[in-house]
Amino acid sequence: MNPFTIITFLLITAVTGNNISDILSQVPDYSVYNTYLTQTRLNDQINNQGTVTVLVLNNTAVTKYLANQPLFVIKSALSIHVLLDYFDYSKLLSIGGGSAITTTLYQTTGTAIHDTGFVNITDLPNKRIGFGSKGYDPLALYTKSVKQIPYNISVLEIDSPILPLQMLEGIAAAPLPSPSLSPSPSPSVSMSPSPSPSKLSDLNINITSVLVNAGCFNFARIIYNTGVLSMFEKAELEGFTLFAPKDSAFKVQGLPNIDNLSNNDLISLLKYHAISNYVPKASLINEKNPVDTLASNNLAKFNFTIHVKGDLITIDSGVDISRIESMVFDKAPVSIYRIDNVLLPINMFSETVTGPAPAPVIASRPNASSPEAPKISSPADGGSAPADGGPAPADSPTADLEKSGASNGSSGINDLMLLLAIVMVSIIVG
């Protein structure tokens, strides 16, 4: 084979071979399953797995199984069909002892009911293979192999779901987090009139309670008092992601006093912290920069860029950089993150940027005595900060990111090109 043909094949395989959406798009009878994977963003989680087996259902089977189910139930049900090991037909036929238990993507969520996060694979007579939830008889049978890239990804078709219907109904009926508003706000902070529960589609989640329990009381108070909360509730119907600053972010030295903003500017600032699609943590690396926010309008684009470097995820507004500290809520189609700084859109705060081009300005850590700190108090601080209230140390994660200048995927592309060059030289010399 021509060396350049081999290199081209390797390049295509490396770039597209693990893309579950591309694999399923080649078979029209998996279009519904493929759509569900995209809507739930499970496709990103599958693509990020080093070794995985995806059990797929044809359009008729998956529609009958999941029709009219809320998206968070669909995500749980499909993640049970993602096995965190590589299985092809020959391996299935050679299971030691005739059966094996394997872990699924659902088990990694920490919300698996009973043993539903595990799948029992059983060798049956006449070279048949059965799949079922742990403790249940096999409900699904292997039908055929769809795609294998040893030992990375395997896609197998099964004839029916591996989860009993009554257990799926259990997922739908399972109680969701409903945090209380305790600890109670201090007397100096008012949140009256008392907000009614903020129902997020089928989730019935009190968003203000989620934020308060996450240490984002100030942000919860402001979005409620300004009416932005109701805007968020409407936006989430089609998918919604919120980046909520923790309480100490509003005490950062040098932060513009948001009390001096006009009502329209304050609303734009708050809406700048949300985007109109569901982005769980595994999908952040796949977001196309710049990321548009709810603050964008016909006159101006309010966007930011997301940078992912290992476990460090930051948001760059062009004025400041904020680190994502944790995900505090994730139920498709809604995700909520806690961040360590208030995001300042360059459209509104460009005067705070020095030099000929926008340069990220990392605000220093909380300093309660700062005259420029917003006059907002909170019951608790959701995160830690340097004791002296000074700027982030030079060896902080944010500083490391700035020094590296790395963008999403650049390291992986360089490694791939180096590998291909070595392969080409070896082939030509050989």
Side-chain angles (χ1 to χ4, degrees), residues 206-387:
N206 189 324
I207 189 173
T208 53
S209 294
V210 172
L211 292 177
V212 167
N213 280 6
C216 305
F217 176 84
N218 285 335
F219 189 73
R221 180 179 68 83
I222 300 171
I223 63 173
Y224 173 74
N225 289 338
T226 57
V228 172
L229 177 60
S230 62
M231 300 180 190
F232 288 167
E233 292 173 334
K234 293 179 182 178
E236 62 83 25
L237 296 177
E238 298 299 326
F240 174 72
T241 298
L242 179 64
F243 301 93
K246 64 182 182 182
D247 288 336
S248 63
F250 291 93
K251 302 176 185 178
V252 168
Q253 183 178 5
L255 179 73
N257 193 335
I258 65 175
D259 289 342
N260 294 333
L261 295 176
S262 68
N263 187 61
N264 286 340
D265 283 347
L266 178 56
I267 289 175
S268 294
L269 175 65
L270 297 173
K271 291 170 66 177
Y272 184 68
H273 289 74
I275 58 180
S276 60
N277 59 304
Y278 170 59
V279 188
K281 187 175 181 180
S283 300
L284 285 170
I285 194 172
N286 297 313
E287 283 301 287
K288 183 178 180 181
N289 287 318
V291 178
D292 204 15
T293 70
L294 292 184
S296 292
N297 53 51
N298 293 332
L299 300 178
K301 284 285 188 181
F302 284 76
N303 48 42
F304 52 65
T305 58
I306 296 176
H307 298 280
V308 180
K309 183 182 180 183
D311 292 332
L312 174 63
I313 306 174
T314 57
I315 301 174
D316 185 351
S317 72
V319 175
D320 64 348
I321 293 178
S322 184
R323 178 172 60 90
I324 293 180
E325 291 191 339
S326 63
M327 170 174 276
V328 298
F329 183 80
D330 180 18
K331 287 282 185 180
V334 176
S335 57
I336 301 175
Y337 297 89
R338 186 178 77 175
I339 59 177
D340 67 351
N341 281 314
V342 176
L343 297 174
L344 302 177
I346 196 170
N347 312 57
M348 297 170 55
F349 299 98
S350 58
E351 68 277 6
T352 65
V353 180
T354 58
V361 177
I362 306 299
S364 61
R365 279 310 177 235
N367 185 340
S369 63
S370 170
E372 296 182 295
K375 300 175 182 178
I376 300 173
S377 59
S378 65
D381 181 358
S384 60

Side-chain angles (χ1 to χ4, degrees), residues 31-181:
S31 61
V32 176
Y33 197 101
N34 203 9
T35 297
Y36 280 150
L37 289 183
T38 300
Q39 290 177 344
T40 60
R41 304 303 292 265
L42 279 174
N43 58 336
D44 292 329
Q45 289 184 260
I46 292 170
N47 294 340
N48 291 338
Q49 293 294 324
T51 302
V52 66
T53 298
V54 183
L55 305 177
V56 299
L57 299 164
N58 63 35
N59 290 344
T60 300
V62 74
T63 300
K64 180 180 179 180
Y65 182 48
L66 296 175
N68 303 318
Q69 293 290 345
L71 196 60
F72 73 93
V73 172
I74 293 174
K75 182 172 184 177
S76 296
L78 292 187
S79 63
I80 294 169
H81 292 73
V82 180
L83 314 182
L84 301 185
D85 199 351
Y86 180 86
F87 294 96
D88 53 23
Y89 186 56
S90 60
K91 183 176 178 179
L92 291 173
L93 289 176
S94 60
I95 292 176
S99 66
I101 300 293
T102 187
T103 307
T104 70
L105 196 59
Y106 183 46
Q107 181 65 23
T108 66
T109 65
T111 59
I113 300 174
H114 304 302
D115 289 331
T116 54
F118 300 94
V119 167
N120 185 31
I121 305 173
T122 306
D123 283 344
L124 302 171
N126 301 320
K127 294 186 177 182
R128 294 180 303 155
I129 309 296
F131 299 86
S133 294
K134 183 179 177 182
Y136 284 79
D137 292 333
L139 295 178
L141 292 176
Y142 166 89
T143 303
K144 63 181 178 181
S145 295
V146 180
K147 178 75 172 182
Q148 280 76 43
I149 303 179
Y151 289 88
N152 198 338
I153 185 170
S154 175
V155 182
L156 309 174
E157 183 188 276
I158 55 177
D159 65 351
S160 60
I162 61 176
L163 183 70
L165 180 59
Q166 63 268 30
M167 294 181 70
L168 177 64
E169 293 170 347
I171 292 174
L176 295 168
S178 183
S180 66
L181 283 171

